[in-house]
Amino acid sequence: MADVALPSSPIPAKKKNSRKVLKQKKASTSEANVLAQALTESSPAEILPPPSETDPMKENSEILSSAKKVKGKAARGGKQQAAAKQQESFDKELEQMQEMLQKLKLEKEKTEEMLKEKDDMLKAREEELENKGKEQEKLQAELKKLQKLKEFKPNLNFQILKDNEQDDKDKKKKKKGGAEKKRPSQPYILWYKDQWAEMKKENPNADFKEVSVILGAKWKTVSAEEKKPYEEKYQAEKEAYLQVMAKEKRETEAMKLLEDDQKQKTAMELLEQYLQFKHEVEDQGNKKTKKEKDPLKPKQPMSAFFIYSNERRSALVAENKTILEVAKITGEEWKNMTEKKKAPYEEIAKKNKENYLIEMEAYKLKKEEEASHIKKEEEELLKLHKQEAMQLLKKKEKTENIIKKTKEIKQKKKKDQTVDPNKPKKPASSFLLFSKETRKSLMEERPGTNNSTITALISVKWKELSEEERQVWNSKAAEAMDAYKKEMEEYNKSCAAAAGTSA
């Protein structure tokens, strides 16, 4: 048996059963509970297969497959319960989330409303600010215009007003103690002045009161012949005074007339100039106008420092120095300079100042001459104005006399024309007819009322009348007017016949 040679090709080995016996897993507590519940619910026939006389391996596999089925059922039941619990918790969470969403929606709506209100408030505030800004701009523009219009200077000579001011000043001076035409003294005062010295010699110890009492008593004893020269002197002075006062009064009236006439003319000229200036201001804008200087007025001389700085400036500018640097350098140099170096510049400044003073004296003299010349011209103009004023016054007096005469003539004619008692009277109007009747009724209804209240009530009632009611009164007035016209025709015929017979 040992010497038997084995074939070279290997003998195929018998295939073993590949299915291994499944080891039972250790079930968890939850799975064990589910499995026990499934076993209790299922019948033993379902769990264990019926006994068979077949191979035990098959039996084992069948047992295992049945156990798997039971386990799958139990797992499905557990999953369904877990899914149900999860669904319940999900539904609760969903409800909570929906409630939260509703709350959030409400809060969102409230916040949106609040934001809208705030936006509206902000917009209104912005509009107010814009309007205020526009108003401020307008006001600033108007203010600038007004400030510019303040610079308006009319090119008119208010000669008459100046003359009147001068007259007022002269009058004030006269009141203070200047030359003024005094009122004439009474005859007693003139006699009193003449007798004062003699009476004082006779009574040297007497005071003013005693002397005046003595003279008063003596004046009573003076005869008419002695009083006559003093009375004549008084009358002559009085006439001269009245003539002067009448002349002055006439001149003042004439000047007032001329002043009124000139005021109208100057007002129109002023208006034209103002409108022209306003138009120029609107065109030019905000350009500042410089004050006009007198070109003939001599310029003030430079000081010694300025003479030195002008001399030094050209050299410093050549070194490309700025204006500020030039000023600083020249100032420091001038401070550090000795009096000997400053002396020539100070001498030049002194000479320039002397020349300036001489020129200023000549300029002032020239200005005084011009002022005196202008004053003379003003006096001549015043004379001319007075002549014009007198002419105007004469014209006014002529017109007033003409008007006065015409009035007197009309009044004489009215007096001469006697009213004929036979002449028919003009009839009353519709309102007067209505007022007569209504007045009677109102006086009866309201006794003791004033005439003014009754007339007011009558006018109110007349306004309240309708057209038909008014037509009644209008027809009555028309009838009365027709009758008046007929009576006037007959009256005129009778007057004509009477005039023919008298002729």
Side-chain angles (χ1 to χ4, degrees):
M1 286 295 287
D3 294 332
V4 178
L6 293 167
S8 59
S9 60
I11 296 164
K14 199 173 185 178
K15 286 183 180 180
K16 291 182 181 181
N17 192 5
S18 62
R19 190 175 285 178
K20 293 179 182 180
V21 179
L22 294 168
K23 289 181 182 180
Q24 285 186 354
K25 290 181 180 179
K26 287 181 181 180
S28 63
T29 55
S30 60
E31 286 178 356
N33 290 327
V34 172
L35 186 62
Q37 191 177 359
L39 288 169
T40 54
E41 287 174 358
S42 59
S43 61
E46 287 176 352
I47 297 162
L48 296 171
S52 61
E53 294 175 356
T54 56
D55 191 7
M57 291 293 287
K58 284 183 181 180
E59 289 176 3
N60 193 10
S61 63
E62 285 175 0
I63 288 161
L64 287 167
S65 63
S66 62
K68 280 182 181 179
K69 285 177 183 178
V70 171
K71 192 177 177 180
K73 282 181 182 180
R76 276 191 226 107
K79 284 179 181 178
Q80 285 175 359
Q81 284 181 356
K85 285 180 181 179
Q86 284 178 358
Q87 187 68 31
E88 285 177 1
S89 65
F90 180 74
D91 290 338
K92 285 179 181 179
E93 287 176 358
L94 189 69
E95 286 176 0
Q96 289 175 358
M97 290 292 285
Q98 285 176 353
E99 288 176 358
M100 288 289 288
L101 280 168
Q102 285 179 355
K103 286 179 181 178
L104 287 167
K105 280 179 182 178
L106 292 168
E107 287 177 358
K108 188 184 175 184
E109 287 174 358
K110 286 178 181 179
T111 50
E112 283 177 353
E113 287 176 358
M114 290 285 286
L115 286 166
K116 279 181 182 178
E117 287 177 358
K118 283 182 179 178
D119 288 333
D120 293 334
M121 290 284 284
L122 286 167
K123 283 178 182 177
R125 187 70 180 164
E126 284 175 359
E127 286 176 358
E128 284 179 2
L129 289 168
E130 285 177 1
N131 292 326
K132 280 182 181 178
K134 287 176 182 177
E135 286 176 359
Q136 282 179 354
E137 286 176 359
K138 285 179 182 178
L139 287 168
Q140 283 177 357
E142 287 177 0
L143 191 109
K144 284 178 182 178
K145 281 182 183 178
L146 287 167
Q147 285 174 351
K148 194 72 182 173
L149 289 169
K150 276 183 183 178
E151 297 174 6
F152 173 65
K153 290 177 183 178
N155 299 321
L156 292 170
N157 293 319
F158 299 101
Q159 191 63 39
I160 296 163
L161 296 171
K162 287 177 184 176
D163 296 336
N164 290 334
E165 286 174 5
Q166 192 66 35
D167 291 339
D168 293 335
K169 285 178 183 177
D170 293 338
K171 282 178 184 177
K172 284 178 183 178
K173 282 179 183 178
K174 284 176 184 177
K175 282 179 182 178
K176 285 178 183 178
E180 187 183 3
K181 186 71 179 174
K182 290 182 180 179
R183 287 182 175 231
S185 300
Q186 294 287 332
Y188 168 71
I189 302 295
L190 295 168
W191 177 83
Y192 183 88
K193 284 177 182 177
D194 289 341
Q195 296 292 321
W196 176 264
E198 291 177 5
M199 193 58 65
K200 194 72 179 168
K201 283 178 184 178
E202 289 175 3
N203 302 302
N205 296 323
D207 59 354
F208 178 81
K209 192 176 181 182
E210 289 173 353
V211 172
S212 59
V213 168
I214 292 160
L215 287 169
K218 195 177 179 182
W219 174 254
K220 288 176 183 178
T221 60
V222 174
S223 62
E225 290 179 0
E226 289 176 350
K227 287 180 181 179
K228 193 175 181 181
Y230 297 105
E231 286 174 356
E232 285 175 356
K233 191 177 179 182
Y234 168 69
Q235 289 294 330
E237 286 178 358
K238 190 179 178 181
E239 285 175 4
Y241 173 75
L242 289 170
Q243 283 177 2
V244 170
M245 289 303 292
K247 192 180 178 183
E248 285 180 2
K249 192 178 179 182
R250 195 172 170 78
E251 281 179 358
T252 50
E253 285 178 3
M255 289 302 291
K256 197 174 180 182
L257 272 171
L258 185 65
E259 187 183 343
D260 293 336
D261 189 38
Q262 288 290 332
K263 272 181 182 177
Q264 289 179 355
K265 290 177 183 177
T266 49
M268 292 303 293
E269 287 178 13
L270 267 172
L271 185 64
E272 287 175 3
Q273 284 184 15
Y274 176 75
L275 291 169
Q276 191 176 356
F277 180 78
K278 194 178 178 183
H279 186 66
E280 286 174 1
V281 166
E282 287 173 357
D283 291 341
Q284 286 176 3
N286 296 321
K287 290 182 181 178
K288 290 184 179 179
T289 55
K290 291 182 180 179
K291 288 182 179 179
E292 291 182 0
K293 290 181 180 180
D294 191 359
L296 299 170
K297 190 177 180 180
K299 291 180 181 179
Q300 283 191 347
M302 287 190 290
S303 63
F305 168 69
F306 278 107
I307 292 161
Y308 169 74
S309 62
N310 284 335
E311 191 181 313
R312 191 85 176 81
R313 189 178 285 110
S314 57
L316 292 169
V317 169
E319 293 175 6
N320 295 324
K321 299 285 183 184
T322 60
I323 295 162
L324 291 168
E325 288 173 350
V326 168
K328 283 180 183 179
I329 291 160
T330 51
E332 287 173 0
E333 286 176 356
W334 183 257
K335 282 179 185 178
N336 296 323
M337 277 175 77
T338 59
E339 290 183 359
K340 286 182 180 180
K341 288 181 179 179
K342 285 181 181 179
Y345 300 106
E346 286 175 353
E347 283 178 4
I348 293 161
K350 194 177 179 181
K351 284 179 183 178
N352 289 338
K353 193 173 183 180
E354 286 173 358
N355 292 328
Y356 168 74
L357 290 168
I358 292 159
E359 287 174 359
M360 275 300 291
E361 284 177 2
Y363 174 75
K364 283 176 182 177
L365 286 167
K366 195 176 180 181
K367 282 284 176 186
E368 285 174 1
E369 286 174 1
E370 285 177 359
S372 63
H373 183 67
I374 288 161
K375 197 174 181 181
K376 284 178 183 177
E377 285 180 353
E378 284 176 357
E379 286 173 359
E380 288 175 0
L381 279 168
L382 180 61
K383 286 177 183 177
L384 290 168
H385 287 317
K386 281 182 178 178
Q387 287 175 1
E388 288 177 8
M390 290 301 290
Q391 287 174 0
L392 279 168
L393 185 65
K394 284 175 183 177
K395 284 179 183 177
K396 189 187 175 185
E397 285 174 351
K398 279 181 183 178
T399 51
E400 283 177 354
N401 288 326
I402 290 160
I403 291 160
K404 198 175 180 180
K405 283 177 182 178
T406 50
K407 281 182 179 178
E408 286 173 358
I409 290 159
K410 282 180 180 178
Q411 284 174 359
K412 282 180 181 180
K413 283 181 179 179
K414 281 181 181 179
K415 284 179 182 178
D416 294 337
Q417 286 176 357
T418 54
V419 179
D420 190 359
N422 298 320
K423 189 178 179 180
K425 290 181 180 180
K426 200 172 182 179
S429 62
S430 56
F431 174 71
L432 287 170
L433 293 168
F434 170 78
S435 65
K436 280 178 184 177
E437 287 195 7
T438 49
R439 191 179 288 277
K440 288 176 185 178
S441 61
L442 287 167
M443 288 290 280
E444 288 173 0
E445 287 173 5
R446 300 180 181 184
T449 51
N450 294 326
N451 286 322
S452 58
T453 53
I454 288 163
T455 50
L457 289 165
I458 289 161
S459 63
V460 169
K461 284 188 175 184
W462 175 257
K463 286 175 184 177
E464 288 175 354
L465 287 174
S466 62
E467 290 182 0
E468 292 176 356
E469 289 172 342
R470 279 194 185 184
Q471 191 63 38
V472 174
W473 296 105
N474 289 329
S475 61
K476 284 181 181 179
E479 287 174 1
M481 196 70 187
D482 292 334
Y484 169 74
K485 284 177 181 178
K486 287 177 182 177
E487 287 174 358
M488 278 299 293
E489 284 176 1
E490 290 175 358
Y491 174 75
N492 289 326
K493 284 177 183 178
S494 64
C495 286
T501 54
S502 63

